[in-house]
Amino acid sequence: MKVLHVINSLDIGGAQTLLTDSLPRFVEKKVESEVFVLKKSSEGNFEEILKSKGINIIYSQVEQIYSPLQILELKRLIQQNSYDIVHSHTFPSQYWVSLLKNLIKKPPVFITTEHNTSNRRREKKVFKYLDKFIYRNYRHIVCISEGTLSELITWVSDVKPKSSVIENGIDLKKLTVASPLNPKDIIPNYQDGDKIIVMVARLTEQKDHKTVIQAASKLPRNMHIVFVGGGEKYSEYEAMIKQNNLESQVHLLGPRKDVPNIIKAADLFVLSSHFEGFGLVVVEAMASGIPVIGSDVTGLTDVVSGAGKLFQQGDSQELANIIIELVNHPEMCTAMIEAGYKKSSLYSIERFVDEHMKLYQSLL
């Protein structure tokens, strides 16, 4: 079996983490796996990891990911290779793969993964009709959570018969063996007894770092917020931190290659997204033995419930109150850590790969 995965980039993100952790395991199961990337990565080390595992990465020669010329690049690649399955991830990769169907005489099986419960297209009715057409060209649609499936069906009801849920998976071993960084290597002004609250997410509107920055202004000065990740909002959030005189308390680390080690050094982990398909990084924090706090939004709620604390999305005061409560009650953290370990064990990368193998085989 030969599978081509198509994705926008290999920058830090949930879909990219899944590919990096799963593709070497597909290869072990005799699935020849390649990745077509629309844009060369500018952060993280996913490319390096995949290449070290023998995964072939093909970069588009078209500079703009939103250019329809990407379709011609993909067409040439598919015609030159005997792929059994082409599996797309994220927009606009989903569009370009779908539009290929009528341009190839004998196309491979096209499937796509829906990685989020919402996106900007769903704010405009015209995209409802476009998405309906795009999804029609796929044999199967994988959703990463029940919430993702529910929201997709609400948007385009026609997809229900050919959609299924395969929940995300993580490399549990990689996280459990990671050693924590020295806190002073993360925060220059760290003092013994200080607390570290980490959030790993791209600096985008979706992830709502603003609420966490606002919560920081309500916390004691010995509680540090650490943001890991790059993105288009970096300068805006940097200015917001300075404007609120939080430079000694809120720290922007940018993209990092040692994310598991940073998470292991944290006292708490938070994810404050406006919307989330699953929240893979929350499961990674649970597997690392860190208590988690998440915004009460579809997708993320399913993962955090029963193993962490939820706050109303956008409510910085409630978030600050939860952080203070957990810092002051270590017995609550101990219970959350135990529950988190149990819950994270349900999301192994091995299960994720096995369920995809069954799907691939059923479609051929």
Side-chain angles (χ1 to χ4, degrees), residues 102-145:
N102 298 320
L103 300 179
I104 299 175
K105 285 186 178 180
K106 293 183 178 180
V109 173
F110 286 172
I111 73 172
T112 189
T113 293
E114 195 70 16
H115 288 276
N116 245 319
T117 54
S118 184
N119 55 60
R120 290 181 181 177
R121 300 194 309 281
R122 296 183 192 178
E123 297 172 2
K124 297 181 180 179
K125 193 172 182 179
V126 64
F127 281 106
K128 189 181 188 80
Y129 302 104
L130 281 172
D131 278 2
K132 186 175 182 178
F133 172 77
I134 291 297
Y135 288 124
R136 186 181 299 160
N137 288 336
Y138 283 105
R139 278 275 301 280
H140 197 84
I141 300 164
V142 176
C143 295
I144 63 172
S145 67

Side-chain angles (χ1 to χ4, degrees), residues 195 197 215-224 249 320 323-324 327-328:
K195 301 299 178 182
I197 299 94
S217 66
K218 302 172 174 64
L219 297 174
R221 287 293 180 175
N222 69 334
M223 296 185 187
H224 297 269
Q249 194 175 1
I323 291 172
I324 293 169
V327 168
N328 291 335

Side-chain angles (χ1 to χ4, degrees), residues 196-213 224-230 237 250-254 256 259 262-263 266 268-274 276 281-282 285 290 293-295 300 311 319:
I196 301 176
I197 299 94
V198 168
M199 177 167 164
V200 179
R202 286 189 56 76
L203 301 174
T204 63
E205 189 70 30
Q206 175 194 346
K207 302 300 182 179
D208 190 24
H209 293 73
K210 283 185 178 180
T211 293
V212 185
I213 296 171
H224 297 269
I225 303 293
V226 174
F227 292 137
V228 183
Y237 294 153
V250 181
H251 312 272
L252 293 166
L253 299 192
R256 296 284 292 249
V259 173
I262 295 172
I263 292 175
L268 300 172
F269 186 92
V270 65
L271 189 62
S272 58
S273 306
H274 285 297
E276 198 71 50
V281 70
V282 166
I290 308 302
I293 306 167
S295 52
L300 190 54
F311 69 97
L319 174 57

Side-chain angles (χ1 to χ4, degrees), residues 7 37 53 82 86 144 169 227 260 277 313 335 338:
I7 194 165
V37 184
K53 299 292 185 179
S82 54
V86 176
I144 63 172
F227 292 137
Q313 198 284 314
E338 184 177 346

Side-chain angles (χ1 to χ4, degrees), residues 278-324:
F278 183 84
L280 188 69
V281 70
V282 166
V283 181
E284 292 178 334
M286 289 178 182
S288 301
I290 308 302
V292 301
I293 306 167
S295 52
D296 190 1
V297 295
T298 302
L300 190 54
T301 302
D302 296 338
V303 177
V304 176
S305 293
K309 286 279 191 178
L310 292 163
F311 69 97
Q312 185 175 347
Q313 198 284 314
D315 191 335
S316 61
Q317 185 62 63
E318 185 182 8
L319 174 57
N321 291 344
I322 291 172
I323 291 172
I324 293 169

